[in-house]
Amino acid sequence: MPVPARLQQLEGSALVVGQGGIGSAISELLIQECPALTVLPLGRRSQPRLDLCDDGDLEQLSGWLKQQPPLRLVINTAGWLHEDGRGPEKRLQAIQRSGLEQAFNINAFAPILLAKAVAPALGHGQPCWFASLSARVGSIGDNHLGGWYGYRAAKAAQNQLLRTLALEWKRRLPQACVSLLHPGTTATELSAPFRSAVPAEKLFSPQRAAGHLLDVLAEQTAEDSGRFLAWDGSVIAW
């Protein structure tokens, strides 16, 4: 899937955070098709390491970015839905403090702290993009099924935090565009336990999801900053 011409022509660097299925696929596409872009794929196993729940890693990231070409694109794909038998709560009695804390640490707190860390590197006066993966289930207006308390709430919190960021950056970084992106159900480890009922035509490969997301992102300008968008470019209700 080709990368849109607008992104192919970017000069500088692109930071892709999280190297799971979608993050790796985005990194590969950018490396293949954006010759003037230095792609920086970072995660908990990269060098340098970037654990979004580690303040020390975020501080080091700020310094490290000063040594890289001007930062033009940041895409956060890190997220948490289940681990070691702990997963989305289907009913009230399943809620535990530790699960809520884990969901919020990665899905809500991490993206806004990442934005804080990279903000100095985005102050170069050129158009730039900061995008983070959200989820349709984080929409309060679109919640008709209930369940999945922690994940829904954490994604909704991320949406509010980054919407607020977009309003601040309109004043401080007027060339920046902040986007919240829903990738659709994608065949990754995150979705593995929950996709058995998903029709084959609605289950995307990481490569297809990556292509969709870059297509949508390329259409956004600073005037569009603060939008919550699905993989096909449609606007999702907050």
Side-chain angles (χ1 to χ4, degrees):
M1 194 172 226
V3 170
R6 187 177 188 189
L7 297 183
Q8 287 184 19
Q9 296 164 4
L10 279 185
E11 297 181 1
S13 63
L15 173 63
V16 183
V17 179
Q19 290 302 298
I22 294 177
S24 295
I26 289 174
S27 297
E28 290 169 8
L29 264 178
L30 293 174
I31 290 169
Q32 291 168 7
E33 303 212 16
C34 303
L37 204 56
T38 300
V39 181
L40 311 170
L42 296 186
R44 288 181 293 179
R45 298 179 182 86
S46 66
Q47 189 56 247
R49 186 189 82 146
L50 179 57
D51 182 341
L52 292 178
C53 295
D54 187 315
D55 289 341
D57 283 6
L58 288 166
E59 289 176 10
Q60 290 180 15
L61 173 66
S62 290
W64 184 73
L65 287 173
K66 294 177 183 177
Q67 305 166 30
Q68 309 303 321
L71 189 59
R72 304 295 303 280
L73 177 63
V74 180
I75 303 179
N76 173 45
T77 70
W80 183 86
L81 180 58
H82 62 89
E83 184 179 27
D84 298 332
R86 180 194 296 154
E89 312 93 343
K90 295 181 180 179
R91 53 196 294 269
L92 178 63
Q93 294 307 314
I95 294 177
Q96 297 180 342
R97 184 181 299 275
S98 59
L100 292 174
E101 289 174 344
Q102 182 84 339
F104 272 76
N105 276 337
I106 299 176
N107 298 321
F109 304 157
I112 195 66
L113 292 171
L114 173 64
K116 179 182 177 182
V118 304
L122 295 174
H124 43 59
Q126 302 178 77
C128 52
W129 291 261
F130 182 95
S132 186
L133 295 194
S134 188
R136 190 181 294 274
V137 297
S139 165
I140 295 174
D142 192 56
N143 183 0
H144 305 293
L145 296 175
W148 288 40
Y149 285 86
Y151 189 71
R152 284 185 187 276
K155 288 296 188 179
Q158 178 193 193
N159 292 351
Q160 178 70 290
L161 288 165
L162 293 190
R163 170 68 177 171
T164 303
L165 172 70
L167 294 171
E168 178 179 343
W169 278 4
K170 281 181 182 293
R171 301 186 299 271
R172 297 184 184 276
L173 295 173
Q175 293 278 19
C177 177
V178 178
S179 300
L180 291 140
L181 303 177
H182 166 61
T185 304
T186 307
T188 64
E189 290 183 11
L190 184 141
S191 70
F194 313 105
R195 60 177 190 246
S196 58
V198 178
E201 67 274 12
K202 293 185 177 181
L203 180 64
F204 301 151
S205 69
Q207 292 72 28
R208 182 178 174 187
H212 287 319
L213 294 172
L214 292 176
D215 284 346
V216 172
L217 203 54
E219 293 296 318
Q220 308 309 304
T221 68
E223 288 71 32
D224 303 307
S225 189
R227 300 174 81 197
F228 182 17
L229 302 167
W231 61 270
D232 59 358
S234 61
V235 175
I236 301 175
W238 296 113

